[in-house]
Each structure stands twice: as C-alpha cells, then as structure tokens.
Amino acid sequence: ADVTDASLTVAGYSLETDLRRDRQDTGHGVGGGLLVYSRTGTSILPLADYDSKFNQHCRFSIGTKRNSLNIILTYRPTGSTRENDMKLCEILRVADSNTLIIGDINMPGIDWESGKSDARGRALMETVEEENMEQMVRFSTHTKGNILDLVITNCPERVVGITDEGRLGKSDHCILMIEIE
C-alpha cells in the first residue's frame, strides 16, 4: 500500500512493522489490512506461521504477568471464499493453548448468543465449539448492529473484559479494548 509506517505513528505506542499485513487482494490494498501496535516497552514476539494459506493473519506472543499469551490477528473479507473460510477454521484447530484469535471476521449470519448460524458461518461456529473455544464479544461491533469483530479463545478465564472504545475515523466498526491477565 501507499501508506508509510511513519504516517501511522501513535504517541506512546510502537508499530510492529514485522506484523503489518496490507491487503493483496484489492486494488492498491484498499480496505482491511492488519496493524499491530504495542505500548512502548511491551515485549511483542512475532511467531512463525504454520504454513496457513488463510487470506490475512499474523501471529505473535506477548508477555504478561502470568505467562505469555499467543495472539492471532485476522481479517476475513466480506467476499471471502468457502476455501478461505475453511483455512480460517484450520487456524483455530491448530491454535496453541493460551491463544486469542482476534479479528474482523465479517460473518453477520452468526448469532453467537443463541448458537445459530446461516450456512456461511456454520463451519466457523462448529469449529469454535469442537475446539472448546469461546467467542467473547457480546455487543454489536458494527454500525448495522452485527457482531463482526470477534475474540475467540481457548483461555476465556484470561479475558477480564472487552469494551467498545468508539470508532476510528470513518470506520463502521468499533475499536475493541481487550483487558487480559
């Protein structure tokens, strides 16, 4: 993309440039993409990928008071193929313990509270259940009232809280603040 790392500076935070993922499947990388910021002084360790072909994700570990926590940051485009959706499910199946999968998944047909889903989201919902994971976001993350931004984990006891911190710029998604221990 044409956006430089220098233009993405946020006071008090470091942009983890090794983890930046610009979209490769749109004209000029417009829409979506992944950026990881860490508070200055926080230890972020990029993790080797396990040869996943999922459209867009990155993996890293952060140190906490208790022990490290693995983070898989994902972006699933609205027009994702069924094949790409299956690759997302595979990421969940091979996740190490102490992992949070965080991302804009864009599956409005999943009702996480009732456990019901449309055909597109069924495989993801079933994989979360089969892998004994939990989707932790309980409020709308999109202006249309859907939960599109998810926090899926195999260590829900480490998630102290998730809050809506408003929207950034013209985004139609909210910013999630995830407090972990």
Side-chain angles (χ1 to χ4, degrees), residues 111-169:
D111 182 338
W112 292 99
E113 191 171 323
S114 72
K116 296 181 181 174
S117 176
D118 62 4
R120 179 172 278 297
R122 192 163 293 118
L124 178 64
M125 179 172 266
E126 289 173 355
T127 301
V128 169
E129 186 176 298
E130 290 165 6
E131 297 302 318
N132 295 313
M133 293 181 155
E134 187 174 336
Q135 196 291 114
M136 307 289 295
V137 179
R138 307 282 187 248
F139 53 86
S140 169
T141 64
H142 189 267
T143 55
K144 290 185 179 176
N146 300 309
I147 301 175
L148 301 183
D149 304 279
L150 308 180
V151 177
I152 299 171
T153 185
N154 55 20
C155 55
E157 70 283 356
R158 297 204 55 193
V159 179
V160 176
I162 302 173
T163 55
D164 176 345
E165 296 297 311
R167 300 195 185 326
L168 181 63

Side-chain angles (χ1 to χ4, degrees), residues 7-122:
S7 69
L8 298 169
T9 302
V10 176
Y13 289 84
S14 298
L15 174 61
E16 302 295 332
T17 56
D18 291 348
L19 296 170
R20 180 177 175 174
R21 303 289 185 270
D22 293 323
R23 289 211 37 201
Q24 303 299 315
D25 60 344
T26 63
H28 306 292
V30 174
L34 304 174
L35 293 174
V36 176
Y37 289 90
S38 61
R39 281 193 184 153
T40 303
T42 302
S43 176
I44 299 287
L45 176 65
L47 296 173
D49 200 356
Y50 33 76
D51 200 30
S52 173
K53 302 294 185 219
F54 178 68
N55 184 37
Q56 197 157 17
H57 72 287
C58 63
R59 299 178 61 228
F60 57 96
S61 179
I62 59 173
T64 67
K65 292 177 184 176
R66 208 162 110 186
N67 56 16
S68 66
L69 183 67
N70 300 313
I71 307 289
I72 302 172
L73 187 61
T74 61
Y75 172 70
R76 179 196 166 276
T78 303
S80 185
T81 65
R82 177 134 174 86
E83 179 184 3
N84 196 50
D85 292 348
M86 293 298 100
K87 291 172 186 170
L88 173 60
C89 291
E90 185 60 25
I91 287 174
L92 274 63
R93 286 188 193 96
V94 300
D96 296 325
S97 60
N98 279 329
T99 295
L100 292 178
I101 296 101
I102 303 169
D104 176 0
I105 303 300
N106 284 310
M107 288 192 177
I110 299 177
D111 182 338
W112 292 99
E113 191 171 323
S114 72
K116 296 181 181 174
S117 176
D118 62 4
R120 179 172 278 297
R122 192 163 293 118

